[in-house]
Amino acid sequence: MLEPPPPATWRITLPRGATAVPIARAMVRTAMQDLRMTADRTTAQLLTAELVTNVLKHTCGAAPIELVVEQRSAGCRIEVHDDDPVLVEGLGDPLPLGDPGDGGDEDDRQAGPDPDAYADDSRTTDDTAAADDTEAPAPAPACADRDGRGLVLIRSLSAASGCRPTPRGKAVWFTLPELRRPRRR
C-alpha cells in the first residue's frame, strides 16, 4: 500500500524582539510560495503576526521563537512554538460564521472553551447607565478577555486552530484550506 509523502515543512528560529513579527510574515509568505501553497497568504501572514505578537506579549522566556510552516493534504498548517508551558485557552473550533453545525474537519481540531461562554464585565461607559440597575451590562466573550481580538481573528479566519504542549513549552497553530487553482484552457 502506498503511503502519502511526508509533509513539506519550513522551520525558522525567530529572535525574541521587535523584528520577530516582520520576519515571521516574510517567512510565511516565502515558505508558502516555495511550497506552492494556494492557501490565502494574506490571511496566513495576519494570523502568524497575531501568534508571534502573543508570544512576545504574554511569555517571559528568553528562548527564541520557532515558526513552522507545513504543507498538508488539507491545506497549510502554521505553528508558533515558545518555551512557556502554559497553554493558550480560547482556541479550538472556529467561531461560527454561517449555518450552525457546519464545522468542517473534526480530526484536526482541539476542543476549546464554549464560544457561548461569557465573562462577567461590570464596567460601563456611561455614568448615567450605571445608576439604572434594570439593565445588565453587555457580556464580553471569554476568548477575548486576555488580549482582545487576536484569538477571535484566529478562530474566525482559520479552518482549525489549537494549542498543544511540546517538550520545550507549547505550540499554538492554525490551518488554512488550500484554494482551488483556476483551470488552464
mmCIF file with all atom_site columns, all heavy atoms in Angstrom, residues 77-105:
data_model
loop_
_atom_site.group_PDB
_atom_site.id
_atom_site.type_symbol
_atom_site.label_atom_id
_atom_site.label_alt_id
_atom_site.label_comp_id
_atom_site.label_asym_id
_atom_site.label_entity_id
_atom_site.label_seq_id
_atom_site.pdbx_PDB_ins_code
_atom_site.Cartn_x
_atom_site.Cartn_y
_atom_site.Cartn_z
_atom_site.occupancy
_atom_site.B_iso_or_equiv
_atom_site.pdbx_formal_charge
_atom_site.auth_seq_id
_atom_site.auth_comp_id
_atom_site.auth_asym_id
_atom_site.auth_atom_id
_atom_site.pdbx_PDB_model_num
ATOM 1   N N   . ARG A 1 77  ? -0.615  24.407 7.460  1.00 0.00 ? 77  ARG A N   1
ATOM 2   C CA  . ARG A 1 77  ? -0.637  24.499 8.921  1.00 0.00 ? 77  ARG A CA  1
ATOM 3   C C   . ARG A 1 77  ? 0.559   25.340 9.350  1.00 0.00 ? 77  ARG A C   1
ATOM 4   O O   . ARG A 1 77  ? 1.689   25.086 8.929  1.00 0.00 ? 77  ARG A O   1
ATOM 5   C CB  . ARG A 1 77  ? -0.560  23.121 9.556  1.00 0.00 ? 77  ARG A CB  1
ATOM 6   C CG  . ARG A 1 77  ? -0.555  23.187 11.078 1.00 0.00 ? 77  ARG A CG  1
ATOM 7   C CD  . ARG A 1 77  ? -0.751  21.822 11.649 1.00 0.00 ? 77  ARG A CD  1
ATOM 8   N NE  . ARG A 1 77  ? -0.558  21.787 13.069 1.00 0.00 ? 77  ARG A NE  1
ATOM 9   C CZ  . ARG A 1 77  ? -1.236  20.994 13.883 1.00 0.00 ? 77  ARG A CZ  1
ATOM 10  N NH1 . ARG A 1 77  ? -2.146  20.183 13.395 1.00 0.00 ? 77  ARG A NH1 1
ATOM 11  N NH2 . ARG A 1 77  ? -0.998  20.990 15.155 1.00 0.00 ? 77  ARG A NH2 1
ATOM 12  N N   . ILE A 1 78  ? 0.292   26.334 10.181 1.00 0.00 ? 78  ILE A N   1
ATOM 13  C CA  . ILE A 1 78  ? 1.351   27.200 10.691 1.00 0.00 ? 78  ILE A CA  1
ATOM 14  C C   . ILE A 1 78  ? 1.349   27.099 12.211 1.00 0.00 ? 78  ILE A C   1
ATOM 15  O O   . ILE A 1 78  ? 0.295   27.194 12.838 1.00 0.00 ? 78  ILE A O   1
ATOM 16  C CB  . ILE A 1 78  ? 1.144   28.654 10.221 1.00 0.00 ? 78  ILE A CB  1
ATOM 17  C CG1 . ILE A 1 78  ? 1.246   28.699 8.690  1.00 0.00 ? 78  ILE A CG1 1
ATOM 18  C CG2 . ILE A 1 78  ? 2.161   29.587 10.882 1.00 0.00 ? 78  ILE A CG2 1
ATOM 19  C CD1 . ILE A 1 78  ? 0.970   30.029 8.068  1.00 0.00 ? 78  ILE A CD1 1
ATOM 20  N N   . GLU A 1 79  ? 2.544   26.860 12.765 1.00 0.00 ? 79  GLU A N   1
ATOM 21  C CA  . GLU A 1 79  ? 2.710   26.727 14.209 1.00 0.00 ? 79  GLU A CA  1
ATOM 22  C C   . GLU A 1 79  ? 3.725   27.744 14.699 1.00 0.00 ? 79  GLU A C   1
ATOM 23  O O   . GLU A 1 79  ? 4.705   28.030 14.013 1.00 0.00 ? 79  GLU A O   1
ATOM 24  C CB  . GLU A 1 79  ? 3.234   25.337 14.586 1.00 0.00 ? 79  GLU A CB  1
ATOM 25  C CG  . GLU A 1 79  ? 2.316   24.205 14.260 1.00 0.00 ? 79  GLU A CG  1
ATOM 26  C CD  . GLU A 1 79  ? 2.843   22.866 14.753 1.00 0.00 ? 79  GLU A CD  1
ATOM 27  O OE1 . GLU A 1 79  ? 4.020   22.783 15.189 1.00 0.00 ? 79  GLU A OE1 1
ATOM 28  O OE2 . GLU A 1 79  ? 2.081   21.902 14.696 1.00 0.00 ? 79  GLU A OE2 1
ATOM 29  N N   . VAL A 1 80  ? 3.492   28.251 15.900 1.00 0.00 ? 80  VAL A N   1
ATOM 30  C CA  . VAL A 1 80  ? 4.456   29.107 16.582 1.00 0.00 ? 80  VAL A CA  1
ATOM 31  C C   . VAL A 1 80  ? 4.763   28.437 17.918 1.00 0.00 ? 80  VAL A C   1
ATOM 32  O O   . VAL A 1 80  ? 3.865   28.209 18.728 1.00 0.00 ? 80  VAL A O   1
ATOM 33  C CB  . VAL A 1 80  ? 3.910   30.543 16.772 1.00 0.00 ? 80  VAL A CB  1
ATOM 34  C CG1 . VAL A 1 80  ? 4.877   31.376 17.590 1.00 0.00 ? 80  VAL A CG1 1
ATOM 35  C CG2 . VAL A 1 80  ? 3.650   31.194 15.416 1.00 0.00 ? 80  VAL A CG2 1
ATOM 36  N N   . HIS A 1 81  ? 6.034   28.094 18.124 1.00 0.00 ? 81  HIS A N   1
ATOM 37  C CA  . HIS A 1 81  ? 6.492   27.401 19.335 1.00 0.00 ? 81  HIS A CA  1
ATOM 38  C C   . HIS A 1 81  ? 7.190   28.396 20.261 1.00 0.00 ? 81  HIS A C   1
ATOM 39  O O   . HIS A 1 81  ? 7.963   29.225 19.801 1.00 0.00 ? 81  HIS A O   1
ATOM 40  C CB  . HIS A 1 81  ? 7.495   26.300 18.971 1.00 0.00 ? 81  HIS A CB  1
ATOM 41  C CG  . HIS A 1 81  ? 6.931   25.209 18.131 1.00 0.00 ? 81  HIS A CG  1
ATOM 42  N ND1 . HIS A 1 81  ? 6.895   23.909 18.560 1.00 0.00 ? 81  HIS A ND1 1
ATOM 43  C CD2 . HIS A 1 81  ? 6.373   25.213 16.895 1.00 0.00 ? 81  HIS A CD2 1
ATOM 44  C CE1 . HIS A 1 81  ? 6.349   23.147 17.613 1.00 0.00 ? 81  HIS A CE1 1
ATOM 45  N NE2 . HIS A 1 81  ? 6.034   23.928 16.593 1.00 0.00 ? 81  HIS A NE2 1
ATOM 46  N N   . ASP A 1 82  ? 6.910   28.273 21.566 1.00 0.00 ? 82  ASP A N   1
ATOM 47  C CA  . ASP A 1 82  ? 7.624   29.080 22.563 1.00 0.00 ? 82  ASP A CA  1
ATOM 48  C C   . ASP A 1 82  ? 7.942   28.201 23.759 1.00 0.00 ? 82  ASP A C   1
ATOM 49  O O   . ASP A 1 82  ? 7.547   27.048 23.821 1.00 0.00 ? 82  ASP A O   1
ATOM 50  C CB  . ASP A 1 82  ? 6.822   30.331 22.952 1.00 0.00 ? 82  ASP A CB  1
ATOM 51  C CG  . ASP A 1 82  ? 5.521   30.020 23.657 1.00 0.00 ? 82  ASP A CG  1
ATOM 52  O OD1 . ASP A 1 82  ? 5.551   29.396 24.737 1.00 0.00 ? 82  ASP A OD1 1
ATOM 53  O OD2 . ASP A 1 82  ? 4.455   30.406 23.141 1.00 0.00 ? 82  ASP A OD2 1
ATOM 54  N N   . ASP A 1 83  ? 8.674   28.771 24.726 1.00 0.00 ? 83  ASP A N   1
ATOM 55  C CA  . ASP A 1 83  ? 9.129   27.971 25.870 1.00 0.00 ? 83  ASP A CA  1
ATOM 56  C C   . ASP A 1 83  ? 8.237   28.088 27.102 1.00 0.00 ? 83  ASP A C   1
ATOM 57  O O   . ASP A 1 83  ? 8.590   27.592 28.164 1.00 0.00 ? 83  ASP A O   1
ATOM 58  C CB  . ASP A 1 83  ? 10.579  28.326 26.223 1.00 0.00 ? 83  ASP A CB  1
ATOM 59  C CG  . ASP A 1 83  ? 10.759  29.779 26.612 1.00 0.00 ? 83  ASP A CG  1
ATOM 60  O OD1 . ASP A 1 83  ? 9.817   30.581 26.450 1.00 0.00 ? 83  ASP A OD1 1
ATOM 61  O OD2 . ASP A 1 83  ? 11.865  30.124 27.073 1.00 0.00 ? 83  ASP A OD2 1
ATOM 62  N N   . ASP A 1 84  ? 7.072   28.714 26.964 1.00 0.00 ? 84  ASP A N   1
ATOM 63  C CA  . ASP A 1 84  ? 6.133   28.839 28.081 1.00 0.00 ? 84  ASP A CA  1
ATOM 64  C C   . ASP A 1 84  ? 5.193   27.627 28.086 1.00 0.00 ? 84  ASP A C   1
ATOM 65  O O   . ASP A 1 84  ? 4.495   27.390 27.095 1.00 0.00 ? 84  ASP A O   1
ATOM 66  C CB  . ASP A 1 84  ? 5.332   30.128 27.935 1.00 0.00 ? 84  ASP A CB  1
ATOM 67  C CG  . ASP A 1 84  ? 4.429   30.412 29.128 1.00 0.00 ? 84  ASP A CG  1
ATOM 68  O OD1 . ASP A 1 84  ? 4.288   29.538 30.010 1.00 0.00 ? 84  ASP A OD1 1
ATOM 69  O OD2 . ASP A 1 84  ? 3.853   31.504 29.170 1.00 0.00 ? 84  ASP A OD2 1
ATOM 70  N N   . PRO A 1 85  ? 5.148   26.846 29.163 1.00 0.00 ? 85  PRO A N   1
ATOM 71  C CA  . PRO A 1 85  ? 4.303   25.656 29.176 1.00 0.00 ? 85  PRO A CA  1
ATOM 72  C C   . PRO A 1 85  ? 2.808   25.932 29.362 1.00 0.00 ? 85  PRO A C   1
ATOM 73  O O   . PRO A 1 85  ? 1.989   25.025 29.221 1.00 0.00 ? 85  PRO A O   1
ATOM 74  C CB  . PRO A 1 85  ? 4.847   24.845 30.353 1.00 0.00 ? 85  PRO A CB  1
ATOM 75  C CG  . PRO A 1 85  ? 5.415   25.870 31.274 1.00 0.00 ? 85  PRO A CG  1
ATOM 76  C CD  . PRO A 1 85  ? 5.942   26.973 30.391 1.00 0.00 ? 85  PRO A CD  1
ATOM 77  N N   . VAL A 1 86  ? 2.430   27.177 29.672 1.00 0.00 ? 86  VAL A N   1
ATOM 78  C CA  . VAL A 1 86  ? 1.017   27.495 29.900 1.00 0.00 ? 86  VAL A CA  1
ATOM 79  C C   . VAL A 1 86  ? 0.294   27.504 28.555 1.00 0.00 ? 86  VAL A C   1
ATOM 80  O O   . VAL A 1 86  ? 0.644   28.280 27.659 1.00 0.00 ? 86  VAL A O   1
ATOM 81  C CB  . VAL A 1 86  ? 0.855   28.855 30.605 1.00 0.00 ? 86  VAL A CB  1
ATOM 82  C CG1 . VAL A 1 86  ? -0.609  29.201 30.772 1.00 0.00 ? 86  VAL A CG1 1
ATOM 83  C CG2 . VAL A 1 86  ? 1.571   28.845 31.943 1.00 0.00 ? 86  VAL A CG2 1
ATOM 84  N N   . LEU A 1 87  ? -0.705  26.617 28.427 1.00 0.00 ? 87  LEU A N   1
ATOM 85  C CA  . LEU A 1 87  ? -1.440  26.503 27.167 1.00 0.00 ? 87  LEU A CA  1
ATOM 86  C C   . LEU A 1 87  ? -2.393  27.677 26.981 1.00 0.00 ? 87  LEU A C   1
ATOM 87  O O   . LEU A 1 87  ? -2.938  28.211 27.937 1.00 0.00 ? 87  LEU A O   1
ATOM 88  C CB  . LEU A 1 87  ? -2.207  25.189 27.120 1.00 0.00 ? 87  LEU A CB  1
ATOM 89  C CG  . LEU A 1 87  ? -1.362  23.919 27.180 1.00 0.00 ? 87  LEU A CG  1
ATOM 90  C CD1 . LEU A 1 87  ? -2.244  22.685 27.122 1.00 0.00 ? 87  LEU A CD1 1
ATOM 91  C CD2 . LEU A 1 87  ? -0.322  23.886 26.081 1.00 0.00 ? 87  LEU A CD2 1
ATOM 92  N N   . VAL A 1 88  ? -2.592  28.057 25.740 1.00 0.00 ? 88  VAL A N   1
ATOM 93  C CA  . VAL A 1 88  ? -3.485  29.159 25.386 1.00 0.00 ? 88  VAL A CA  1
ATOM 94  C C   . VAL A 1 88  ? -4.916  28.637 25.358 1.00 0.00 ? 88  VAL A C   1
ATOM 95  O O   . VAL A 1 88  ? -5.201  27.632 24.708 1.00 0.00 ? 88  VAL A O   1
ATOM 96  C CB  . VAL A 1 88  ? -3.121  29.740 24.006 1.00 0.00 ? 88  VAL A CB  1
ATOM 97  C CG1 . VAL A 1 88  ? -4.105  30.817 23.587 1.00 0.00 ? 88  VAL A CG1 1
ATOM 98  C CG2 . VAL A 1 88  ? -1.701  30.283 24.023 1.00 0.00 ? 88  VAL A CG2 1
ATOM 99  N N   . GLU A 1 89  ? -5.792  29.310 26.072 1.00 0.00 ? 89  GLU A N   1
ATOM 100 C CA  . GLU A 1 89  ? -7.207  28.957 26.041 1.00 0.00 ? 89  GLU A CA  1
ATOM 101 C C   . GLU A 1 89  ? -7.908  29.835 25.016 1.00 0.00 ? 89  GLU A C   1
ATOM 102 O O   . GLU A 1 89  ? -7.445  30.929 24.709 1.00 0.00 ? 89  GLU A O   1
ATOM 103 C CB  . GLU A 1 89  ? -7.830  29.166 27.418 1.00 0.00 ? 89  GLU A CB  1
ATOM 104 C CG  . GLU A 1 89  ? -7.276  28.223 28.456 1.00 0.00 ? 89  GLU A CG  1
ATOM 105 C CD  . GLU A 1 89  ? -7.934  28.425 29.811 1.00 0.00 ? 89  GLU A CD  1
ATOM 106 O OE1 . GLU A 1 89  ? -8.983  29.084 29.882 1.00 0.00 ? 89  GLU A OE1 1
ATOM 107 O OE2 . GLU A 1 89  ? -7.386  27.922 30.795 1.00 0.00 ? 89  GLU A OE2 1
ATOM 108 N N   . GLY A 1 90  ? -9.020  29.359 24.498 1.00 0.00 ? 90  GLY A N   1
ATOM 109 C CA  . GLY A 1 90  ? -9.792  30.161 23.559 1.00 0.00 ? 90  GLY A CA  1
ATOM 110 C C   . GLY A 1 90  ? -9.582  29.754 22.127 1.00 0.00 ? 90  GLY A C   1
ATOM 111 O O   . GLY A 1 90  ? -10.106 30.390 21.223 1.00 0.00 ? 90  GLY A O   1
ATOM 112 N N   . LEU A 1 91  ? -8.808  28.707 21.891 1.00 0.00 ? 91  LEU A N   1
ATOM 113 C CA  . LEU A 1 91  ? -8.647  28.190 20.541 1.00 0.00 ? 91  LEU A CA  1
ATOM 114 C C   . LEU A 1 91  ? -9.402  26.879 20.447 1.00 0.00 ? 91  LEU A C   1
ATOM 115 O O   . LEU A 1 91  ? -9.789  26.292 21.438 1.00 0.00 ? 91  LEU A O   1
ATOM 116 C CB  . LEU A 1 91  ? -7.173  27.984 20.208 1.00 0.00 ? 91  LEU A CB  1
ATOM 117 C CG  . LEU A 1 91  ? -6.356  29.265 20.125 1.00 0.00 ? 91  LEU A CG  1
ATOM 118 C CD1 . LEU A 1 91  ? -4.886  28.945 19.960 1.00 0.00 ? 91  LEU A CD1 1
ATOM 119 C CD2 . LEU A 1 91  ? -6.834  30.139 18.988 1.00 0.00 ? 91  LEU A CD2 1
ATOM 120 N N   . GLY A 1 92  ? -9.582  26.397 19.285 1.00 0.00 ? 92  GLY A N   1
ATOM 121 C CA  . GLY A 1 92  ? -10.324 25.169 19.061 1.00 0.00 ? 92  GLY A CA  1
ATOM 122 C C   . GLY A 1 92  ? -11.203 25.360 17.854 1.00 0.00 ? 92  GLY A C   1
ATOM 123 O O   . GLY A 1 92  ? -10.755 25.900 16.855 1.00 0.00 ? 92  GLY A O   1
ATOM 124 N N   . ASP A 1 93  ? -12.442 24.969 17.953 1.00 0.00 ? 93  ASP A N   1
ATOM 125 C CA  . ASP A 1 93  ? -13.332 25.101 16.810 1.00 0.00 ? 93  ASP A CA  1
ATOM 126 C C   . ASP A 1 93  ? -13.441 26.559 16.382 1.00 0.00 ? 93  ASP A C   1
ATOM 127 O O   . ASP A 1 93  ? -13.504 27.448 17.221 1.00 0.00 ? 93  ASP A O   1
ATOM 128 C CB  . ASP A 1 93  ? -14.735 24.589 17.157 1.00 0.00 ? 93  ASP A CB  1
ATOM 129 C CG  . ASP A 1 93  ? -14.741 23.086 17.364 1.00 0.00 ? 93  ASP A CG  1
ATOM 130 O OD1 . ASP A 1 93  ? -13.805 22.424 16.875 1.00 0.00 ? 93  ASP A OD1 1
ATOM 131 O OD2 . ASP A 1 93  ? -15.667 22.594 18.007 1.00 0.00 ? 93  ASP A OD2 1
ATOM 132 N N   . PRO A 1 94  ? -13.465 26.806 15.063 1.00 0.00 ? 94  PRO A N   1
ATOM 133 C CA  . PRO A 1 94  ? -13.631 28.183 14.598 1.00 0.00 ? 94  PRO A CA  1
ATOM 134 C C   . PRO A 1 94  ? -14.959 28.758 15.066 1.00 0.00 ? 94  PRO A C   1
ATOM 135 O O   . PRO A 1 94  ? -15.920 28.023 15.294 1.00 0.00 ? 94  PRO A O   1
ATOM 136 C CB  . PRO A 1 94  ? -13.616 28.060 13.079 1.00 0.00 ? 94  PRO A CB  1
ATOM 137 C CG  . PRO A 1 94  ? -13.012 26.740 12.791 1.00 0.00 ? 94  PRO A CG  1
ATOM 138 C CD  . PRO A 1 94  ? -13.314 25.862 13.978 1.00 0.00 ? 94  PRO A CD  1
ATOM 139 N N   . LEU A 1 95  ? -15.012 30.066 15.194 1.00 0.00 ? 95  LEU A N   1
ATOM 140 C CA  . LEU A 1 95  ? -16.271 30.726 15.519 1.00 0.00 ? 95  LEU A CA  1
ATOM 141 C C   . LEU A 1 95  ? -17.242 30.530 14.372 1.00 0.00 ? 95  LEU A C   1
ATOM 142 O O   . LEU A 1 95  ? -16.838 30.574 13.212 1.00 0.00 ? 95  LEU A O   1
ATOM 143 C CB  . LEU A 1 95  ? -16.046 32.224 15.751 1.00 0.00 ? 95  LEU A CB  1
ATOM 144 C CG  . LEU A 1 95  ? -15.260 32.583 16.990 1.00 0.00 ? 95  LEU A CG  1
ATOM 145 C CD1 . LEU A 1 95  ? -14.975 34.076 17.005 1.00 0.00 ? 95  LEU A CD1 1
ATOM 146 C CD2 . LEU A 1 95  ? -16.008 32.194 18.235 1.00 0.00 ? 95  LEU A CD2 1
ATOM 147 N N   . PRO A 1 96  ? -18.506 30.310 14.652 1.00 0.00 ? 96  PRO A N   1
ATOM 148 C CA  . PRO A 1 96  ? -19.456 30.091 13.563 1.00 0.00 ? 96  PRO A CA  1
ATOM 149 C C   . PRO A 1 96  ? -19.643 31.366 12.749 1.00 0.00 ? 96  PRO A C   1
ATOM 150 O O   . PRO A 1 96  ? -19.863 32.436 13.287 1.00 0.00 ? 96  PRO A O   1
ATOM 151 C CB  . PRO A 1 96  ? -20.743 29.693 14.288 1.00 0.00 ? 96  PRO A CB  1
ATOM 152 C CG  . PRO A 1 96  ? -20.585 30.180 15.684 1.00 0.00 ? 96  PRO A CG  1
ATOM 153 C CD  . PRO A 1 96  ? -19.113 30.240 15.970 1.00 0.00 ? 96  PRO A CD  1
ATOM 154 N N   . LEU A 1 97  ? -19.515 31.218 11.429 1.00 0.00 ? 97  LEU A N   1
ATOM 155 C CA  . LEU A 1 97  ? -19.718 32.345 10.535 1.00 0.00 ? 97  LEU A CA  1
ATOM 156 C C   . LEU A 1 97  ? -20.970 32.156 9.700  1.00 0.00 ? 97  LEU A C   1
ATOM 157 O O   . LEU A 1 97  ? -21.519 33.099 9.197  1.00 0.00 ? 97  LEU A O   1
ATOM 158 C CB  . LEU A 1 97  ? -18.518 32.516 9.601  1.00 0.00 ? 97  LEU A CB  1
ATOM 159 C CG  . LEU A 1 97  ? -17.221 32.914 10.278 1.00 0.00 ? 97  LEU A CG  1
ATOM 160 C CD1 . LEU A 1 97  ? -16.100 32.988 9.256  1.00 0.00 ? 97  LEU A CD1 1
ATOM 161 C CD2 . LEU A 1 97  ? -17.364 34.240 10.981 1.00 0.00 ? 97  LEU A CD2 1
ATOM 162 N N   . GLY A 1 98  ? -21.369 30.919 9.529  1.00 0.00 ? 98  GLY A N   1
ATOM 163 C CA  . GLY A 1 98  ? -22.520 30.643 8.685  1.00 0.00 ? 98  GLY A CA  1
ATOM 164 C C   . GLY A 1 98  ? -23.548 29.849 9.451  1.00 0.00 ? 98  GLY A C   1
ATOM 165 O O   . GLY A 1 98  ? -23.908 30.177 10.575 1.00 0.00 ? 98  GLY A O   1
ATOM 166 N N   . ASP A 1 99  ? -23.992 28.773 8.825  1.00 0.00 ? 99  ASP A N   1
ATOM 167 C CA  . ASP A 1 99  ? -25.005 27.923 9.439  1.00 0.00 ? 99  ASP A CA  1
ATOM 168 C C   . ASP A 1 99  ? -24.423 27.149 10.609 1.00 0.00 ? 99  ASP A C   1
ATOM 169 O O   . ASP A 1 99  ? -23.317 26.633 10.518 1.00 0.00 ? 99  ASP A O   1
ATOM 170 C CB  . ASP A 1 99  ? -25.546 26.923 8.416  1.00 0.00 ? 99  ASP A CB  1
ATOM 171 C CG  . ASP A 1 99  ? -26.259 27.629 7.290  1.00 0.00 ? 99  ASP A CG  1
ATOM 172 O OD1 . ASP A 1 99  ? -26.895 28.669 7.537  1.00 0.00 ? 99  ASP A OD1 1
ATOM 173 O OD2 . ASP A 1 99  ? -26.170 27.119 6.158  1.00 0.00 ? 99  ASP A OD2 1
ATOM 174 N N   . PRO A 1 100 ? -25.153 27.053 11.718 1.00 0.00 ? 100 PRO A N   1
ATOM 175 C CA  . PRO A 1 100 ? -24.675 26.244 12.840 1.00 0.00 ? 100 PRO A CA  1
ATOM 176 C C   . PRO A 1 100 ? -24.548 24.791 12.413 1.00 0.00 ? 100 PRO A C   1
ATOM 177 O O   . PRO A 1 100 ? -25.309 24.302 11.603 1.00 0.00 ? 100 PRO A O   1
ATOM 178 C CB  . PRO A 1 100 ? -25.749 26.407 13.908 1.00 0.00 ? 100 PRO A CB  1
ATOM 179 C CG  . PRO A 1 100 ? -26.599 27.543 13.472 1.00 0.00 ? 100 PRO A CG  1
ATOM 180 C CD  . PRO A 1 100 ? -26.400 27.714 12.003 1.00 0.00 ? 100 PRO A CD  1
ATOM 181 N N   . GLY A 1 101 ? -23.523 24.122 12.944 1.00 0.00 ? 101 GLY A N   1
ATOM 182 C CA  . GLY A 1 101 ? -23.319 22.716 12.633 1.00 0.00 ? 101 GLY A CA  1
ATOM 183 C C   . GLY A 1 101 ? -22.427 22.490 11.436 1.00 0.00 ? 101 GLY A C   1
ATOM 184 O O   . GLY A 1 101 ? -22.073 21.382 11.123 1.00 0.00 ? 101 GLY A O   1
ATOM 185 N N   . ASP A 1 102 ? -22.023 23.546 10.722 1.00 0.00 ? 102 ASP A N   1
ATOM 186 C CA  . ASP A 1 102 ? -21.143 23.401 9.580  1.00 0.00 ? 102 ASP A CA  1
ATOM 187 C C   . ASP A 1 102 ? -19.721 23.572 10.067 1.00 0.00 ? 102 ASP A C   1
ATOM 188 O O   . ASP A 1 102 ? -19.106 24.611 9.879  1.00 0.00 ? 102 ASP A O   1
ATOM 189 C CB  . ASP A 1 102 ? -21.503 24.440 8.520  1.00 0.00 ? 102 ASP A CB  1
ATOM 190 C CG  . ASP A 1 102 ? -20.717 24.241 7.233  1.00 0.00 ? 102 ASP A CG  1
ATOM 191 O OD1 . ASP A 1 102 ? -20.088 23.191 7.081  1.00 0.00 ? 102 ASP A OD1 1
ATOM 192 O OD2 . ASP A 1 102 ? -20.736 25.156 6.414  1.00 0.00 ? 102 ASP A OD2 1
ATOM 193 N N   . GLY A 1 103 ? -19.173 22.551 10.728 1.00 0.00 ? 103 GLY A N   1
ATOM 194 C CA  . GLY A 1 103 ? -17.899 22.696 11.415 1.00 0.00 ? 103 GLY A CA  1
ATOM 195 C C   . GLY A 1 103 ? -16.685 22.255 10.649 1.00 0.00 ? 103 GLY A C   1
ATOM 196 O O   . GLY A 1 103 ? -15.588 22.551 11.022 1.00 0.00 ? 103 GLY A O   1
ATOM 197 N N   . GLY A 1 104 ? -16.822 21.533 9.545  1.00 0.00 ? 104 GLY A N   1
ATOM 198 C CA  . GLY A 1 104 ? -15.659 21.115 8.778  1.00 0.00 ? 104 GLY A CA  1
ATOM 199 C C   . GLY A 1 104 ? -15.022 19.868 9.352  1.00 0.00 ? 104 GLY A C   1
ATOM 200 O O   . GLY A 1 104 ? -15.672 19.028 9.941  1.00 0.00 ? 104 GLY A O   1
ATOM 201 N N   . ASP A 1 105 ? -13.702 19.727 9.187  1.00 0.00 ? 105 ASP A N   1
ATOM 202 C CA  . ASP A 1 105 ? -12.952 18.540 9.558  1.00 0.00 ? 105 ASP A CA  1
ATOM 203 C C   . ASP A 1 105 ? -12.666 18.527 11.050 1.00 0.00 ? 105 ASP A C   1
ATOM 204 O O   . ASP A 1 105 ? -11.934 19.349 11.557 1.00 0.00 ? 105 ASP A O   1
ATOM 205 C CB  . ASP A 1 105 ? -11.645 18.515 8.765  1.00 0.00 ? 105 ASP A CB  1
ATOM 206 C CG  . ASP A 1 105 ? -10.834 17.274 9.030  1.00 0.00 ? 105 ASP A CG  1
ATOM 207 O OD1 . ASP A 1 105 ? -11.377 16.322 9.616  1.00 0.00 ? 105 ASP A OD1 1
ATOM 208 O OD2 . ASP A 1 105 ? -9.655  17.248 8.639  1.00 0.00 ? 105 ASP A OD2 1
#
